[in-house]
Amino acid sequence: MKILKTALLTKFLKIFTLIIFIFPNSIAFGAISYVDDIDVPANGSNGQNIPHGVAFNSDGTKMYVIGASANRIIQYTLSTPFDISEATLLAGSICTEGFAGDGLKIIFNSDGSKFFLVDDATQDVEILTLTTAYDISTCSNTGSKDFGTTNLRDLKFSNDGKKVFLYDQGGTHSLKQYSLSSAFDISNPTLVTTYTGTSSKTLKQLTGNENKVNGLAFSSDGSKMFVTNDTKITEFTLSNPFDLSNVTSEGREDVSDQITDNKISGIAFNNDGSKMFIVDFNTNKTSDVHEYNLTCGFGVKKCIDPTANKDDVASVESQSEGTKKLIQHTTYPVLNRMEWLRRNSGRINLTNQNIKFQFNNEMLNALSSSLIPLYFSNDNSTESNYTNSNWSFWSEGSISIGRAGDSATSSFKDIKTSGITLGADKKGEDDIMRGIALRFGADDVDVGDLGSALDMSSFSLTFYESKPKGEKRFTDNLIGMSFINSDLINNSGSTSTDGERYGEQLYGSLSLRDTFSKNRLNFTPKLKINYGITHLGAYTETGATGLNLKYNDQYIGNFTSSVGTSLDNTYDFEVGSFIPYFDFEYYADMSPASEQTFSYISNGEEFTLKGIENSTHNFIGSIGFDFVSQNGLTFMTKFTRDQTKNSKNDSFNIALDYRGSQRSSYAMSIQDTSAKLSHNKELNNFKVNIDSHYDFLKDDPDYGIYLKISNIN
């Protein structure tokens, strides 16, 4: 038994040692592991004695090697993308155009229609065009550019092709950044900066002051830069993508175990940074292309910090802001309904805002088309129709468009929100109006310039009551829940990740209104409190092996208080009543800051984005009017602006409701540049439906009319 205990204790200590010393180190930093290499054949019909550069096509099924002795580029085919163990030299597929001397590096543009060749002999950058994308056997020289270098070793572009970087080994070993007027057009570059490093150190000193730099590479998102010299790779972090104004050295990785006494020249990565490829050269020994695995994307020395990526930050902010705005977008239609009830308290029929909105979202369309017409056939021309039931029905549709500007840590966000709310309420014997509302909403957020996006759909159920405290004073209360489904896309330019996230939300609102009237003019000050809590579930990205992130659960609190006022007046005419109104509201967002924790699925290294919060001070202004005719026509329109320090959001509501005594109804909607009109009528057991749409602002005008006749039975 004693021996057993000793053995167990020894095993426990071993495991504990591994946990304390090995595991933390494995998640704190990037790590590389050697996979394989291939020998580059010597001079011959397809050989290359001194290879310097390596490149791949966009999907990793072709590899290209360029060298300094045979003045040619050779091409390999890869049966598995970015797997050189299955590389096959493609006989006869070479390019010898544009070489005045020794070719060092090959760099493709984004679609593979051209590539750029660094020529050591002339110090020019040769421009070659391909008849067939990524097929170098179809190459032809179409020009060259002299950048004034004395020992040009490498050249790289930003993702959009609007920036180009050159490393000059001569003089002070400078790295220069140029801006381009057109993507991948180097004919007229503009020098932006010459990088010499931090603290007045040269690039040579930052890389260890060991011989000369030979290769240059960037991560797909531009947040990392890598340079090669001797048998070492130096990693740099850029504070902003493809911006050399603030660069930090993360250290060097020594790969001499595989390179021996040879020297690294070219360096390349696959799209998601999970693999690294380097070229070593030696005039007396076999030269190779080496393949390495990285535990996290582009993590040669240190994993990319996603909290430093503006699009990543903006995506997290969009989810947090979206859930807060969801409470606002869900509660406002209900509050609008209670405001409408106050303005039209003398009406017999309290049904209003019968709006038929058309949405791109199929679920929205299905909901609006199936539920809204439920009360089309009601005849509301006489009070007798409401003797058996005093339930009133209402609907409200809205479209809002906004933009949140970029900041030091976040990209800009273009926001489009659409939603439709359907409700029913009933006045009790105590004059308390109680009701229920259903809302389906869709939020589309475009993040940054590279195609990152958030598509959030939600379904909300709200219970509400409006309680009179005398003739002019009311308290409005509501409570509800929402269910959220989000599709997320994060695009860095060369890699893209997808994710799906679910969430739940509880919310409520308490408001107090007191109306002061003089003649037909009403002045209504308001106090309101919104509160809620949202849970967003954990999810894992897919699509970029080495850069995929796992997001932990996130809890977002919401608490806002507001003070505002509304002003309305009623003008009576023979045809009906015209009620213009104006709303103004200031609300303070006192919600606690939330945080989002995520980690790389490749190695588990965690990052936390803290202090996710909205603007504290916000202003909302609305202007609109109601028109209630004597023959059953109701028209409502409203324009609202939600303004903060760094963002604004505009929304527009419009509705038309008509109920005649002959069991007919009309519905009209406006969305963007499109107008739609629907007419339903019952005639002798037949139902006649006419739908039409008009859009004359498009390049090709869109219009149509549809007729449907059906038997009611």
Side-chain angles (χ1 to χ4, degrees):
M1 180 63 70
K2 186 176 181 180
I3 296 174
L4 180 60
K5 290 182 177 179
T6 303
L8 290 173
L9 180 62
T10 303
K11 184 175 290 187
F12 172 78
L13 290 174
K14 288 182 179 179
I15 296 173
F16 182 77
T17 302
L18 288 172
I19 294 174
I20 296 297
F21 294 102
I22 298 177
F23 184 71
N25 291 333
S26 68
I27 68 173
F29 305 99
I32 66 174
S33 58
Y34 188 71
V35 178
D36 205 350
D37 65 70
I38 60 170
D39 295 336
V40 179
N43 282 352
S45 60
N46 289 299
Q48 185 60 257
N49 272 357
I50 310 177
H52 273 285
V54 61
F56 296 85
N57 67 339
S58 56
D59 63 5
T61 57
K62 295 179 181 180
M63 182 177 70
Y64 312 87
V65 178
I66 186 173
S69 65
N71 295 339
R72 64 168 64 100
I73 305 167
I74 58 177
Q75 177 177 324
Y76 294 81
T77 57
L78 308 181
S79 56
T80 302
F82 297 105
D83 183 0
I84 66 172
S85 66
E86 301 180 23
T88 302
L89 184 62
L90 191 59
S93 184
I94 62 173
C95 178
T96 59
E97 295 285 335
F99 289 83
D102 295 331
L104 297 181
K105 303 291 176 358
I106 173 176
I107 307 95
F108 286 93
N109 67 344
S110 56
D111 61 6
S113 62
K114 68 169 63 175
F115 67 86
F116 304 85
L117 187 153
V118 176
D119 197 324
D120 186 34
T122 64
Q123 291 297 295
D124 289 344
V125 178
E126 306 291 341
I127 307 167
L128 291 97
T129 301
L130 302 178
T131 304
T132 303
Y134 295 108
D135 184 357
I136 62 171
S137 66
T138 66
C139 67
S140 61
N141 191 295
T142 55
S144 64
K145 176 63 180 179
D146 184 2
F147 284 88
T149 56
T150 59
N151 198 358
L152 180 62
R153 309 308 292 175
D154 208 344
L155 173 149
K156 289 293 184 292
F157 291 93
S158 59
N159 291 333
D160 61 3
K162 294 294 187 66
K163 296 179 181 179
V164 63
F165 304 86
L166 287 86
Y167 179 70
D168 187 0
Q169 204 177 73
T172 60
H173 304 266
S174 59
L175 178 59
K176 297 181 178 181
Q177 175 184 332
Y178 295 83
S179 63
L180 307 178
S181 57
S182 300
F184 301 99
D185 181 4
I186 62 173
S187 59
N188 190 27
T190 301
L191 181 63
V192 176
T193 185
T194 300
Y195 173 68
T196 58
T198 57
S199 303
S200 301
K201 291 183 178 180
T202 66
L203 184 62
K204 183 178 178 180
Q205 290 173 309
L206 286 173
T207 56
N209 204 23
E210 298 179 14
N211 295 325
K212 301 172 182 179
V213 173
N214 289 305
L216 174 68
F218 288 90
S219 63
S220 59
D221 65 353
S223 65
K224 293 282 188 182
M225 180 178 70
F226 307 87
V227 298
T228 63
N229 63 316
D230 270 4
T231 59
K232 298 179 177 62
I233 304 163
T234 306
E235 177 180 316
F236 298 87
T237 295
L238 284 60
S239 58
N240 293 302
F242 298 103
D243 183 359
L244 301 180
S245 60
N246 190 1
V247 180
T248 304
S249 176
E250 302 293 355
R252 296 177 296 161
E253 182 70 22
D254 194 338
V255 292
S256 57
D257 289 347
Q258 292 80 39
I259 304 301
T260 62
D261 61 344
N262 294 0
K263 296 180 180 180
I264 302 173
S265 178
I267 179 172
F269 297 87
N270 66 340
N271 297 330
D272 62 17
S274 59
K275 290 181 177 292
M276 177 181 68
F277 305 87
I278 57 177
V279 180
D280 71 341
F281 67 95
N282 193 295
T283 55
N284 301 317
K285 296 183 178 181
T286 302
S287 300
D288 303 298
V289 177
H290 302 265
E291 177 184 335
Y292 297 82
N293 282 338
L294 307 181
T295 58
C296 59
F298 302 98
V300 176
K301 294 300 295 183
K302 184 179 180 181
C303 295
I304 294 175
D305 185 358
T307 64
N309 184 288
K310 287 190 172 184
D311 282 6
D312 285 343
V313 174
S315 178
V316 174
E317 289 179 348
S318 297
Q319 297 177 67
S320 179
E321 294 170 4
T323 60
K324 291 185 177 183
K325 288 295 185 182
L326 177 60
I327 296 178
Q328 183 178 340
H329 293 152
T330 302
T331 59
Y332 266 66
V334 178
L335 296 173
N336 289 341
R337 165 64 176 176
M338 290 187 276
E339 285 285 328
W340 189 91
L341 290 173
R342 182 190 63 77
R343 292 195 299 267
N344 298 273
S345 58
R347 291 185 65 196
I348 296 174
N349 176 21
L350 296 179
T351 295
N352 79 308
Q353 301 180 31
N354 177 19
I355 182 173
K356 189 175 182 180
F357 269 83
Q358 300 291 324
F359 298 95
N360 293 328
N361 185 286
E362 294 182 358
M363 295 183 65
L364 278 173
N365 270 332
L367 191 65
S368 65
S369 62
S370 60
L371 295 184
I372 293 178
L374 286 176
Y375 57 95
F376 270 3
S377 62
N378 289 340
D379 183 355
N380 58 12
S381 60
T382 63
E383 184 177 359
S384 61
N385 294 316
Y386 292 88
T387 56
N388 297 326
S389 174
N390 58 351
W391 280 98
S392 300
F393 305 92
W394 60 277
S395 63
E396 182 172 320
S398 65
I399 298 171
S400 67
I401 300 173
R403 181 182 176 99
D406 59 350
S407 64
T409 60
S410 173
S411 302
F412 70 84
K413 299 178 283 288
D414 286 326
I415 307 166
K416 183 177 181 180
T417 300
S418 56
I420 187 168
T421 304
L422 306 168
D425 42 44
K426 182 177 182 180
K427 183 180 291 188
E429 296 181 354
D430 50 5
D431 287 334
I432 298 177
M433 181 70 75
R434 296 182 176 90
I436 184 173
L438 302 175
R439 180 184 186 271
F440 190 92
D443 292 66
D444 297 324
V445 184
D446 295 326
V447 177
D449 295 315
L450 300 177
S452 297
L454 164 68
D455 294 330
M456 185 177 77
S457 59
S458 58
F459 175 79
S460 305
L461 177 65
T462 306
F463 301 91
Y464 62 92
E465 71 170 17
S466 183
K467 184 182 297 184
K469 301 290 186 179
E471 186 177 352
K472 298 291 185 178
R473 183 175 296 173
F474 295 85
T475 59
D476 299 328
N477 312 295
L478 62 89
I479 189 170
M481 65 186 72
S482 296
F483 302 93
I484 305 168
N485 181 27
S486 300
D487 292 319
L488 301 109
I489 299 174
N490 195 342
N491 198 337
S492 67
S494 57
T495 61
S496 181
T497 62
D498 300 289
E500 188 173 11
R501 194 175 203 182
Y502 297 92
E504 309 84 32
Q505 183 179 79
L506 294 175
Y507 58 88
S509 179
L510 172 64
S511 61
L512 174 65
R513 298 179 280 123
D514 197 354
T515 301
F516 302 89
S517 302
K518 185 176 182 179
N519 297 325
R520 308 299 297 272
L521 180 66
N522 296 308
F523 173 74
T524 306
K526 296 176 285 187
L527 296 173
K528 183 176 64 178
I529 295 175
N530 281 346
Y531 51 90
I533 185 167
T534 305
H535 165 248
L536 296 179
Y539 77 100
T540 301
E541 295 178 332
T542 59
T545 307
L547 295 174
N548 287 331
L549 295 171
K550 178 182 178 182
Y551 288 76
N552 294 353
D553 291 81
Q554 183 183 5
Y555 293 89
I556 305 165
N558 182 78
F559 184 82
T560 62
S561 61
S562 67
V563 58
T565 185
S566 63
L567 188 69
D568 67 84
N569 200 358
T570 301
Y571 300 90
D572 292 326
F573 303 95
E574 291 185 2
V575 295
S577 298
F578 178 71
I579 310 173
Y581 58 88
F582 169 78
D583 291 332
F584 176 80
E585 180 180 338
Y586 164 80
Y587 69 96
D589 190 347
M590 298 175 288
S591 308
S594 64
E595 62 180 45
Q596 176 68 73
T597 301
F598 36 84
S599 59
Y600 283 108
I601 62 173
S602 56
N603 66 356
E605 183 179 1
E606 286 193 347
F607 303 86
T608 301
L609 186 62
K610 299 181 178 180
I612 308 169
E613 54 188 3
N614 284 343
S615 176
T616 303
H617 305 288
N618 307 266
F619 299 90
I620 297 179
S622 302
I623 187 170
F625 65 87
D626 299 337
F627 178 76
V628 184
S629 72
Q630 299 293 340
N631 60 3
L633 175 70
T634 301
F635 180 82
M636 185 276 292
T637 184
K638 184 178 184 180
F639 173 79
T640 303
R641 168 159 291 185
D642 189 346
Q643 183 77 53
T644 69
K645 181 179 179 181
N646 299 316
S647 65
K648 65 179 181 180
N649 197 80
D650 294 330
S651 61
F652 183 66
N653 300 61
I654 186 171
L656 180 68
D657 182 27
Y658 178 70
R659 308 292 179 84
S661 59
Q662 298 182 356
R663 305 181 70 83
S664 63
S665 63
Y666 298 85
M668 174 185 162
S669 69
I670 296 177
Q671 177 180 334
D672 299 329
T673 63
S674 180
K676 302 178 186 294
L677 178 65
S678 177
H679 178 212
N680 294 274
K681 190 176 185 67
E682 295 181 12
L683 294 171
N684 299 324
N685 291 325
F686 287 94
K687 186 175 183 179
V688 181
N689 175 254
I690 301 176
D691 288 308
S692 60
H693 68 271
Y694 315 90
D695 193 339
F696 296 102
L697 298 182
K698 293 182 177 179
D699 294 336
D700 297 319
D702 182 16
Y703 53 91
I705 187 168
Y706 310 92
L707 174 65
K708 180 181 179 181
I709 302 176
S710 58
N711 190 302
I712 295 178
N713 296 326

